[in-house]
Amino acid sequence: MKAAFTTLAALVCATWLAHAAEPAPTSAIAVTLHDSHGLSAASVDASLLEIILFKPHTHFHLKISNTTQQALTLWRPYCPEGDDAMSIEFRDASAPDKVFHAHTGYSYTGGMGIPKVLTLAAGDDLLVNVDLLNEWVLPFPMQADETRLMEIRAAYRSAPLTDERQKSLFGAKEKAPVWTGESTSDWHKVRIINRTGSKIAPRH
């Protein structure tokens, strides 16, 4: 009986080790943030990113990477589906369940409201400017000259067109399949510095 139990325990252990050795599933898309100095969390001191809010058109970058060996069709930024897919998320380390979401704040007119796609080559990257004083909406207020320590991550959540939107835009015509799914970066420490000289209020 003892020998049988020992054999069973060995088999369970071997099975667990085999599963543990398997690589975790990865998304076809990876997202990375590069701060106001152009650096990712892998390169900054103490893994502390820095975002400097100075004036419109000063920005940091969201990098969207195709990790596969084949081209992927993605929603293009500056159309509703492409902009809805991208998000910058903030939270206080002391309240990790309360997440603030920064998105683009465009009013879509004319052709901007039509879904558009791009082809991202295998292993290639798409760099998106994130301007929290102009095209993107900072989701919390900051006082003049305030410095705030938070945590930050990037998220990319691509959804397909609804049947109603597909039919209204394209009728029965089939469109090229767009990659859909979700990818988020790890949470990283970030220092946000308001150097505008004025209070920043969230725009709606």
Side-chain angles (χ1 to χ4, degrees):
M1 183 68 177
K2 183 177 180 181
F5 177 79
T6 302
T7 301
L8 178 60
L11 287 172
V12 170
C13 183
T15 302
W16 181 86
L17 288 173
H19 283 296
E22 293 175 359
T26 57
S27 172
I29 292 295
V31 286
T32 312
L33 288 174
H34 289 248
D35 70 3
S36 296
H37 306 290
L39 298 173
S40 73
S43 297
V44 295
D45 292 338
S47 298
L48 179 64
L49 297 168
E50 192 168 71
I51 295 176
I52 301 171
L53 305 175
F54 177 51
K55 57 184 178 180
H57 309 299
T58 56
H59 53 258
F60 58 104
H61 288 105
L62 165 62
K63 185 173 77 171
I64 302 169
S65 303
N66 177 358
T67 67
T68 73
Q69 300 302 310
Q70 60 187 16
L72 293 177
T73 301
L74 304 179
W75 296 120
R76 182 183 294 275
Y78 307 111
C79 79
E81 288 73 19
D83 290 339
D84 285 346
M86 301 181 296
S87 178
I88 308 299
E89 300 178 350
F90 300 88
R91 70 182 185 185
D92 287 309
S94 60
D97 293 334
K98 185 177 182 180
V99 178
F100 300 92
H101 300 265
H103 289 277
T104 59
Y106 291 114
S107 296
Y108 301 100
T109 58
M112 285 187 70
I114 299 174
K116 301 178 183 68
V117 297
L118 60 86
T119 300
L120 192 61
D124 204 4
D125 306 313
L126 170 65
L127 293 178
V128 179
N129 292 343
V130 180
D131 181 351
L132 293 173
L133 296 178
N134 186 27
E135 297 173 340
W136 289 64
V137 178
L138 184 69
F140 47 82
M142 290 192 71
Q143 299 300 317
D145 302 318
E146 179 183 357
T147 295
R148 182 179 295 195
L149 292 175
M150 300 187 75
E151 294 181 335
I152 189 173
R153 75 174 181 179
Y156 188 78
R157 301 180 179 95
S158 178
L161 294 176
T162 63
D163 291 341
E164 294 78 9
R165 185 156 165 77
Q166 168 80 29
K167 185 175 180 180
S168 67
L169 289 169
F170 308 112
K173 184 179 179 182
E174 292 187 3
K175 300 297 292 182
V178 175
W179 181 86
T180 58
E182 177 176 344
S183 178
T184 57
S185 69
D186 293 333
W187 287 102
H188 295 290
K189 294 180 294 183
V190 63
R191 178 165 51 224
I192 308 166
I193 306 171
N194 180 7
R195 290 184 181 163
T196 65
S198 304
K199 178 180 178 179
I200 301 173
R203 292 178 286 124
H204 299 288

